[in-house]
Amino acid sequence: LSSVKGIIRSHKGDVFVESLDGKGSTFHVFIPMTEKMKTVLPQESDTNEELDQIKAHILLVDDDEAVLNSVSRILEVSGYTVTAIPDSQKALKIFKNNKNNFNLLMTDLAMPILTGVELAREITADRPDMPVLIFTGFKDEISLFPNGTECLIKPVTTQDMIKKIKALLSSR
């Protein structure tokens, strides 16, 4: 694993693991896309053209800095404005001071002190129309999500994430 991490970091990427006793481990590898890779992925550029029609400000919350930075970059490249916060309590304070500035909450499920579900409940209590997208590696927890909350199961492709966000934003 340390060799893999070294190789990935030498390419300016990152790797992280989520592990839960009795559930297993999920490894996430993020490697920056090169110009050459972009020409090989016409489906993603098609998705980006469609997204130009939807401009939104996303409140992104994840206590894992690697995930936060990677997802934030993906969203920004896709045309979204992103406020990325590694602390769910701080994110809630920022939201409460700027309730009408955000169009979507995108949060990790498993975070210390205030979980993604708890954060979603707090935010939708103030803004019932706020779309919420929770991403998690733990499929068994989906039943705990508030009504109307959408879910992405990690690992997720960029294309699937952007399609889900677009659908949520266009449905509200």
Side-chain angles (χ1 to χ4, degrees), residues 30-31 33 44 48 51 58 60 67-80 82 106 156-159 161-162 165:
F30 293 93
I31 301 174
M33 185 175 290
E44 293 214 359
N48 286 340
L51 284 173
I58 298 173
L60 175 64
V67 174
L68 190 69
N69 293 333
S70 299
V71 173
S72 181
R73 278 183 261 155
I74 289 167
L75 295 174
E76 288 169 351
V77 166
S78 299
Y80 295 107
V82 179
M106 185 171 176
V156 63
T157 67
T158 297
Q159 188 173 12
M161 178 174 60
I162 297 301
I165 290 169

Side-chain angles (χ1 to χ4, degrees), residues 78-158:
S78 299
Y80 295 107
T81 301
V82 179
T83 299
I85 310 293
D87 177 310
S88 54
Q89 289 180 311
K90 183 177 177 184
L92 182 59
K93 288 177 187 173
I94 289 170
F95 171 80
K96 287 186 180 273
N97 291 328
N98 303 282
K99 290 179 188 176
N100 295 319
N101 289 350
F102 299 103
N103 305 101
L104 175 79
L105 169 64
M106 185 171 176
T107 181
D108 186 27
L109 172 65
M111 292 186 291
I113 303 171
L114 192 63
T115 69
V117 169
E118 293 165 336
L119 178 63
R121 285 190 180 122
E122 290 280 339
I123 286 177
T124 56
D126 283 336
R127 283 260 323 268
D129 63 322
M130 174 73 96
V132 176
L133 180 59
I134 296 178
F135 49 102
T136 181
F138 309 115
K139 294 177 186 177
D140 298 338
E141 306 297 326
I142 296 173
S143 62
L144 302 175
F145 294 2
N147 285 342
T149 301
E150 292 289 327
C151 178
L152 280 175
I153 302 296
K154 295 177 191 176
V156 63
T157 67
T158 297

